[in-house]
């Protein structure tokens, strides 16, 4: 499965890339500004940047004022920032779907609100789409620890706990089952074919950190388009801030448990064969090797060796417990999620008309947003 795709027909030119950053709290104000600044500094400029605010009127107003938008995501010039209210239910999935529906680029990229992209991030994505079979491209997410160094006990095999690329993923530009949501991109035609991110899984502010919405979407995409190629290019790099609270074992264990719950939801929908294909290799090969390294380091009196080995075992146990409970809930019909309809292709821009601003206000209010 992990192999580079063959040559495809070249694209006629660099695709227009819309970047979506979903935000939900003013506590990340400086992070949000840094994320947008990193997009503006790209060597291959973004077509547009969309900030989607998740049901936070104060943050919506503040961002709209800062970026000179009216808070309704009014059409802006190329490369400008648009500020939008999440038009769906609370949560990351609906926020992303709002951004997809309002975007106009051929490629749609997603960046976490507490991450900054390296200068060639979008260029690496765009290069991969020269092959017309490529439907999704992800990148490498490096942790930036608030304590300035990785906790000695924290195993690299579990960096997905803090939203980062983990040990065990193959290097280079390779085919994968799914990309990782905080550093990813898709062709617009993928959303037109299969719809958006499923609501009911995915993060919702600071609540129990469920996930796997991008896994479910990618599996759905591969089923609908059997010839689709999904890639990770580890040269498309972002740097993701890890706050002190997420450097603690309590968060590690909670996040692993939540991942198990999420995997059960996805496996219940798409089947265990596809839903757990990548995880089987990870559990049977990557994690045992990580435990062995930890034990070896402990025997050599290297710092953190025993802690890393123990954390891997504890993480597997927590994820297994979450998966077991999630499977029971799925069999009882609980924890269902909703797949939104396919996204319509963007139409041509409408000419300005009298009262256009009032129409835009009414459209925004009907979506549950608030005006500045």
């Amino acid at each position: 499965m992990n192999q580079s795709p063959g040559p495809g027909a070249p694209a006629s030119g660099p695709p227009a890339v819309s970047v979506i950053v979903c935000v939900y709290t003013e506590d990340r104000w400086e992070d949000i500004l840094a994320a947008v600044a990193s997009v503006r500094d790209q060597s291959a400029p973004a077509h547009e940047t969309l900030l989607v605010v998740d049901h936070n009127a104060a943050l919506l107003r503040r961002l709209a004022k800062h970026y000179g938008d009216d808070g309704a995501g009014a059409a802006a010039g190329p490369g400008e920032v648009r500020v939008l209210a999440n038009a769906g239910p609370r949560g990351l999935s609906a926020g992303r779907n709002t951004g997809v529906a309002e975007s106009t680029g051929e490629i749609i990229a997603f960046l976490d609100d507490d991450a900054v992209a390296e200068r060639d991030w979008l260029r690496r994505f765009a290069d991969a789409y020269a092959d017309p079979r490529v439907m999704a491209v992800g990148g490498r997410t490096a942790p930036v620890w608030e304590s300035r160094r990785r906790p000695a006990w924290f195993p690299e095999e579990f960096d997905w706990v803090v939203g980062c690329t983990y040990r065990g993923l193959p290097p280079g530009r390779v085919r994968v089952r799914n990309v990782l949501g905080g550093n990813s991109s898709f062709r617009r035609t993928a959303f037109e074919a299969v719809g958006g991110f499923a609501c009911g899984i995915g993060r919702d502010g600071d609540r129990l950190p469920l996930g796997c919405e991008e896994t479910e979407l990618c599996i759905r995409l591969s089923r609908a388009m059997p010839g689709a190629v999904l890639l990770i290019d580890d040269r498309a790099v972002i740097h993701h801030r890890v706050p002190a609270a997420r450097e603690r074992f309590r968060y590690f264990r909670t996040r692993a448990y939540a991942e198990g719950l999420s995997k059960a939801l996805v496996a219940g929908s798409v089947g265990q064969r596809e839903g757990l294909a990548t995880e089987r290799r990870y559990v049977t090969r990557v994690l045992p090797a990580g435990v062995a390294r930890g034990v070896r380091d402990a025997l050599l009196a290297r710092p953190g060796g025993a802690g890393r080995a123990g954390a891997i075992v504890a993480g597997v146990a927590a994820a297994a417990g979450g998966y077991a409970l999630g499977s029971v809930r799925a069999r009882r019909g609980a924890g269902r999620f909703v797949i939104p309809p396919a996204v319509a292709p963007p139409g041509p821009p409408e000419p300005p008309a009298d009262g256009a601003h009032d129409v835009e206000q009414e459209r925004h209010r009907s979506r549950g947003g608030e005006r500045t």
Side-chain angles (χ1 to χ4, degrees), residues 4-12 127-134 173 187 227 229 231:
S4 299
S12 58
D127 288 348
Y129 286 106
D131 183 338
R133 299 174 302 163
V134 174
R173 182 193 286 178
R187 282 195 196 275
V229 173
L231 302 173

Side-chain angles (χ1 to χ4, degrees), residues 2 27 43 71 106 110 137 146 178 222 235 243 264 281 303 342 368 370:
N2 294 319
D27 293 342
S43 59
E106 177 188 348
F110 298 94
V137 185
E146 188 170 303
N178 63 274
S222 294
R235 299 168 299 174
R281 176 187 176 275
E370 294 192 30

Side-chain angles (χ1 to χ4, degrees), residues 27 50 52 95 97 105 108 154 165 210 244 252 273 304 323-324 333 358 366:
D27 293 342
L50 293 86
V52 184
N97 293 337
I108 302 168
F154 203 113
T165 301
L210 297 178
F252 177 93
R273 181 175 178 273
Y323 185 85
D358 292 336
S366 71

